[in-house]
Amino acid sequence: MVKRSDMSDTGLPTPDSGPRTPDSGLRTSDSPPAIDVADMTAVYHEQPVLWDVDVTVPAGVLMAIVGPNGAGKTTLIKCMLGLIHPVAGRVLIQGQPYKERRSAVAYVPQRGSVDWDFPTNVLDVVEMGRYGSLGWIRRPGRKEREKALESLEKVGMAAFANRQISQLSGGQQQRVFLARALAQDAEIYLMDEPFQGVDATTERAIIEILRELRATGKTVVAVHHDLQTVPEYFDWVTLLNVRKIASGPVEDVFTEENLRLTYGGLVAVLRNGNGADHNHAAAHSLQMEAAP
Amino acid sequence: MTSAQIDIQLIAAATAAACAIPGVFLVLRRMAMMSDAISHSILLGIVLAYFVVDSTSSPFLIAGAALVGLLTVVLVEALQRTGLVKEDAAIGLVFPLLFSVGVILIARFADNVHLDIDSVLLGELAFAPFDRVIVSGWDLGPRGLWIMGAILAINLSLLLLFFKELKLATFDAGLAASLGLAPVAVHYGLMSSVSLTAVGAFDAVGSILVVALMIGPPAAAYLLTDRLTTMIWLSMLLGVVSAIAGYWLAHWLDASIAGAMATMVGVTFLTTLVFSPSRGLVASLARRRQQKLDFAQTMLAIHLLNHEGTPLAELENRVAGLDAHLHWDATFTADIVARARRHDLVLENEGLLVLTPAGRTRAQSALVHQAAR
């Protein structure tokens, strides 16, 4: 079992995966990275949720954030969006503070974070994606409605525009949230568990849209649970467990070694059954892999 | 109707409409109990502000009292943030303290003010017509109507200006924050509106009715519509109707006006709960019964399909004895068979039930649907 505190000092087998090692590959020197997180530390009730995390997301990648429950995945996304004030560290979006680049970022929160019994319909929810560019007081008009309809079309939900949101299935809710993000016309998409509780068809449809976004030069970051589909869906990955274990191209850093470090000795536990502390983590990650 | 009666009803209607606007958002944010807290603790604010401005009708008194309402929200949230007290308990801890300090201050230092505990709980709407605004000899109408009219106008303007921000902060505060539409500021703006409305209404109708008017009509409107704008207008309408109906109930019973109005709010809500066309109890009972009958007919069709063309069909698919096979009671079985025949799902042939093509399709599609799950 490797203690987390050892990782940053000892380094890891793959050179790309070591902390503070610059990400290789797609990054070009003349354009700043899409997202640059440095020395990010966040606490919740005195407990560190993120501990000195450095992550650089080059523009134009499709990146997964993986890690066990409580690893700080959602917190990392929220820090990127300035929704949580970290105790240390900073985030740059395209080389500038988030406040300067709000319009470049679209956010898809966890589906369960809102009340789906709220009295409104699908089109109205998607229009909310335009509220940022409208600013205070100005009301959405015909332009916003057209943009919202166009986004619904892209996710295959145009027929549901006037549907009450409480009547949607889980997969449909997720598509509506994705449409709302598309309506923002952003360059960077931050998604918290976009595949959570959706059926296989919806999952394929969503990943197809994310690939289209990448093809047009957008950057997508998604919290992801299904380790098996990481290499298939994503080209970049960050392995997180309070500390950053590794971050880089999937083929370089998505290794058994790094996964073992991330999931707290899962492999060892499976082999010889000791390490009571980690039985929990092992059980969690196994469930995650089994989940659709 | 005398002019005093008209005045009372106008004040009641303005109060109901003004309360419904912030009330809708309290209900949608699951913060209904916050209105209870605010409407009580502002008593302390009214007393303190009275000591400062030495008048019960100054706008400064209203503003000062509203600040204590806001303080209540801040204290409740601070208590909650300690992680040691849950929200409902925090509310229950903060407002009785502030309220009772107000009660003590009135009893000890403000004997000569018209404030007393009865008027605190139930207001004094019956006397409202006699407190008039008179400017250089001109009677401009009852003061209560001016106060509530002004508050209604403020709430309406805030609603029209910030409708989009209120909606987004209520539905998805995370997105609102990421878009720069400050949900925390919107939250405190809403709480200010609740406090201001509660202070204004407090004088006219007392603290119990403030809670009734803020929560009852929006909760009823929520059962009647799927659209936020409709919910707001409907809440105002239901509030006004309950308030006026309450006045006449009080007139008829010769009882407290505020008490009768709060009762009518309750009656309006209960009526909606039972009879709302889409979500009411009657409608959902009817829907559940219909589903049960539909399901039973499908089961009958599946049963017939399973035994169709088998040697057992003679035994299983017979009207007589069907109840024993399906473990249904005889009346229910007879009813379902009759319904299935009426819907052309089955035919009866010398006591033997035979599926029609429609019945066969129904059974098969139910089975396929089941398998696909």
Side-chain angles (χ1 to χ4, degrees):
Chain A
M1 191 176 79
V2 179
K3 279 189 195 142
R4 279 173 205 153
S5 55
D6 294 337
M7 289 169 200
S8 59
D9 307 323
T10 55
L12 293 160
T14 4
D16 286 59
S17 62
R20 291 175 187 275
T21 311
D23 296 305
S24 61
L26 305 174
R27 199 164 153 194
T28 52
S29 53
D30 50 331
S31 70
I35 306 168
D36 189 21
V37 177
D39 309 313
M40 181 62 67
T41 300
V43 297
Y44 182 74
H45 285 299
E46 323 285 304
Q47 280 289 316
V49 186
L50 290 177
W51 196 256
D52 199 35
V53 169
D54 299 286
V55 173
T56 304
V57 187
V61 300
L62 188 44
M63 183 179 98
I65 300 177
V66 298
N69 283 353
K73 304 183 294 291
T74 296
T75 308
L76 180 58
I77 292 249
K78 287 188 171 171
C79 283
M80 289 173 174
L81 289 157
L83 296 182
I84 289 178
H85 293 290
V87 290
R90 60 130 182 83
V91 176
L92 292 181
I93 303 289
Q94 299 175 334
Q96 286 175 290
Y98 177 75
K99 277 183 183 156
E100 312 290 319
R101 299 298 307 151
R102 264 188 221 289
S103 61
V105 182
Y107 171 42
V108 179
Q110 280 182 29
R111 190 159 57 78
S113 68
V114 304
D115 173 13
W116 290 95
D117 285 329
F118 192 85
T120 190
N121 63 21
V122 167
L123 186 65
D124 194 44
V125 170
V126 177
E127 262 186 29
M128 290 177 186
R130 301 303 304 161
Y131 286 8
S133 66
L134 281 172
W136 288 85
I137 295 173
R138 266 176 62 200
R139 294 288 196 95
R142 182 211 290 257
K143 230 175 74 188
E144 281 69 33
R145 172 154 337 130
E146 278 168 7
K147 184 76 203 172
L149 277 170
E150 191 186 303
S151 307
L152 275 173
E153 199 101 34
K154 283 185 198 155
V155 301
M157 290 281 291
F160 292 80
N162 293 314
R163 186 70 66 90
Q164 170 64 20
I165 58 170
S166 61
Q167 294 168 10
L168 300 176
S169 71
Q172 290 168 341
Q173 291 174 352
Q174 200 67 61
R175 284 179 196 229
V176 169
F177 262 16
L178 182 59
R180 189 175 71 172
L182 294 177
Q184 286 191 47
D185 251 344
E187 289 155 53
I188 300 167
Y189 294 79
L190 299 179
M191 309 191 168
D192 202 345
E193 305 198 16
F195 304 113
Q196 218 272 311
V198 307
D199 54 280
T201 323
T202 304
E203 181 163 330
R204 275 192 298 277
I206 292 177
I207 197 67
E208 214 38 64
I209 291 163
L210 301 191
R211 283 177 177 147
E212 276 166 33
L213 286 172
R214 177 181 54 188
T216 55
K218 317 281 189 192
T219 309
V220 180
V221 174
V223 171
H224 193 54
H225 268 321
D226 184 3
L227 295 177
Q228 285 179 345
T229 53
V230 167
E232 186 195 336
Y233 290 173
F234 299 92
D235 55 11
W236 210 266
V237 66
T238 291
L239 295 116
L240 191 72
N241 190 351
V242 184
R243 307 191 65 134
K244 180 192 74 177
I245 310 300
S247 181
V250 170
E251 62 267 28
D252 295 342
V253 305
F254 198 67
T255 60
E256 198 180 316
E257 168 75 4
N258 282 338
L259 280 170
R260 194 165 57 76
L261 292 171
T262 310
Y263 287 88
L266 165 63
V267 178
V269 168
L270 288 179
R271 222 169 268 149
N272 54 32
N274 65 11
D277 290 6
H278 292 293
N279 273 333
H280 242 72
H284 276 313
S285 56
L286 284 175
Q287 275 167 12
M288 283 164 206
E289 290 185 57
Chain B
M1 268 193 276
T2 65
S3 78
Q5 286 179 325
I6 293 173
D7 283 347
I8 291 175
Q9 288 177 74
L10 281 175
I11 297 172
T15 308
C19 285
I21 295 170
V24 164
F25 292 96
L26 287 178
V27 167
L28 290 176
R29 288 164 165 255
R30 299 159 198 224
M31 293 182 65
M33 287 317 288
M34 201 59 107
S35 69
D36 199 17
I38 289 175
S39 65
H40 281 84
S41 58
I42 50 171
L43 175 69
L44 176 62
I46 291 171
V47 179
L48 291 178
Y50 172 74
F51 288 155
V52 176
V53 300
D54 202 20
S55 146
T56 51
S57 56
S58 144
F60 293 109
L61 182 126
I62 293 180
L67 276 182
V68 176
L70 218 48
L71 175 74
T72 314
V73 178
V74 173
L75 287 178
V76 167
E77 287 171 355
L79 208 51
Q80 216 183 318
R81 254 199 308 277
T82 61
L84 305 172
V85 181
K86 299 263 178 265
E87 189 190 8
D88 52 347
I91 289 178
L93 287 165
V94 170
F95 88 78
L97 178 67
L98 298 180
F99 180 71
S100 44
V101 171
V103 170
I104 292 172
L105 287 179
I106 291 181
R108 194 73 191 79
F109 301 109
D111 279 343
N112 53 345
V113 196
H114 79 286
L115 282 171
D116 61 68
I117 305 304
D118 282 352
S119 72
V120 163
L121 291 177
L122 293 172
E124 31 190 45
L125 202 48
F127 303 131
F130 307 112
D131 181 10
R132 304 192 80 83
V133 179
I134 293 168
V135 177
S136 52
W138 290 84
D139 181 357
L140 297 179
R143 187 183 308 280
L145 187 56
W146 279 98
I147 293 175
M148 285 322 298
I151 291 173
L152 174 61
I154 292 172
N155 285 354
L156 265 180
S157 329
L158 289 174
L159 174 71
L160 292 174
L161 281 176
F162 298 109
F163 178 70
K164 161 176 122 261
E165 288 77 7
L166 275 164
K167 182 170 68 178
L168 183 59
T170 303
F171 176 65
D172 192 346
L175 182 71
S178 80
L179 294 177
L181 294 172
V184 178
V186 172
H187 169 71
Y188 281 106
L190 175 64
M191 291 303 130
S192 307
S193 156
V194 172
S195 298
L196 183 70
T197 311
V199 177
F202 188 88
D203 205 31
V205 297
S207 60
I208 292 181
L209 194 54
V210 173
V211 180
L213 287 176
M214 277 195 187
I215 306 307
Y222 182 74
L223 298 177
L224 290 170
T225 175
D226 284 342
R227 291 198 60 82
L228 181 56
T229 36
T230 316
M231 183 176 165
I232 295 169
W233 301 126
L234 212 50
S235 300
M236 293 171 72
L237 181 72
L238 291 175
V240 169
V241 169
S242 310
I244 291 175
Y247 171 75
W248 289 105
L249 179 69
H251 185 73
W252 176 55
L253 294 175
D254 193 18
S256 150
I257 298 175
M261 281 193 204
T263 306
M264 285 317 293
V265 169
V267 168
T268 305
F269 175 75
L270 281 176
T271 312
T272 317
L273 181 71
V274 175
F275 296 110
S276 161
S278 53
R279 299 186 198 153
L281 296 179
V282 170
S284 52
L285 268 181
R287 202 162 39 234
R288 226 169 296 159
R289 184 177 143 72
Q290 190 56 49
Q291 277 168 358
K292 189 181 167 193
L293 293 174
D294 284 347
F295 183 69
Q297 290 172 60
T298 308
M299 267 177 68
L300 174 65
I302 290 173
H303 178 79
L304 297 179
L305 182 71
N306 278 344
H307 298 288
E308 201 173 47
T310 70
L312 280 174
E314 270 296 308
L315 203 65
E316 292 272 356
N317 292 1
R318 199 160 276 287
V319 179
L322 193 63
D323 49 342
H325 288 292
L326 292 171
H327 287 281
W328 289 348
D329 73 54
T331 349
F332 185 71
T333 313
D335 180 33
I336 295 302
V337 170
R339 280 169 193 274
R341 288 181 59 179
R342 221 169 29 246
H343 293 139
D344 283 329
L345 298 175
V346 299
L347 292 170
E348 196 179 329
N349 191 2
E350 292 172 4
L352 197 68
L353 287 172
V354 184
L355 281 172
T356 64
R360 195 166 294 114
T361 314
R362 173 123 163 211
Q364 281 162 345
S365 67
L367 289 168
V368 168
H369 193 68
Q370 197 60 42
R373 283 193 175 189

